[in-house]
């Protein structure tokens, strides 16, 4: 259920502090420690699942809830002009933390043109 060496399991357990924006029995959302956008939150399942490649049908409910939560959080955090969602998976997907998480990037991005 949880991995003692996993940084996001430690956040879920309250052993590492985070700036939480949402919590229920299955999900936790908190601000990324190194934001890439004015609003940058991570949505994670409380259960330890290493990556999107490791999900199965028993995870269907909270996987759906992760997607439903993104627009709600952006609205709650005042993002009105769109946002980007990203689940990095595996080495070639740029995944660094091996506890499944969805990035949600909102607000104007410094690297965006125009
Ligand atoms: P990824 O490359 O998709 O695995 O992204 C991992 C993300 O986790 C990065 O954007 C990190 O800045 C973020 N991160 C790592 N440790 C923490 C932490 N303790 N609190 C909040 N965000 C973190
Ligand atoms: Zn974990």
């Amino acid at each position: 259920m949880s991995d003692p060496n996993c940084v996001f399991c430690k956040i879920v357990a309250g052993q590492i502090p985070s700036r939480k924006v949402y919590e229920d029995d299955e999900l936790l959302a908190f601000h990324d420690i190194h934001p890439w956008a004015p609003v940058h939150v991570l949505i994670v399942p409380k259960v330890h699942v290493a990556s999107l490649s490791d999900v199965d049908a028993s995870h269907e409910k909270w996987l759906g809830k992760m997607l439903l939560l993104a627009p709600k959080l952006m609205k709650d955090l005042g993002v009105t002009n769109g946002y980007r969602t990203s689940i990095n998976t595996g080495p070639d997907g740029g995944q660094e933390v091996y506890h499944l998480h969805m990035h949600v990037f909102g607000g104007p991005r410094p690297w965006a043109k125009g």
Side-chain angles (χ1 to χ4, degrees), residues 6 9 48 99:
C6 169
C9 283
H48 180 82
H99 178 127

Side-chain angles (χ1 to χ4, degrees), residues 27-96:
L27 299 180
L28 183 68
F30 50 91
H31 289 279
D32 195 291
I33 204 165
H34 294 128
W36 284 33
V39 177
H40 180 180
V41 300
L42 302 173
I43 302 174
V44 310
K46 288 191 165 177
V47 65
H48 180 82
V49 173
S51 83
L52 193 62
S53 291
D54 299 293
V55 299
D56 62 42
S58 74
H59 303 137
E60 185 174 358
K61 181 163 164 268
W62 56 254
L63 279 168
K65 279 173 62 177
M66 285 174 76
L67 269 183
L68 288 168
L69 185 57
K72 175 185 158 33
L73 287 184
M74 290 300 101
K75 194 174 175 203
D76 290 353
L77 293 168
V79 174
T80 56
N81 202 39
Y83 47 88
R84 182 160 60 116
T85 51
S86 161
I87 301 176
N88 300 330
T89 304
D92 288 353
Q95 186 173 3
E96 290 175 1

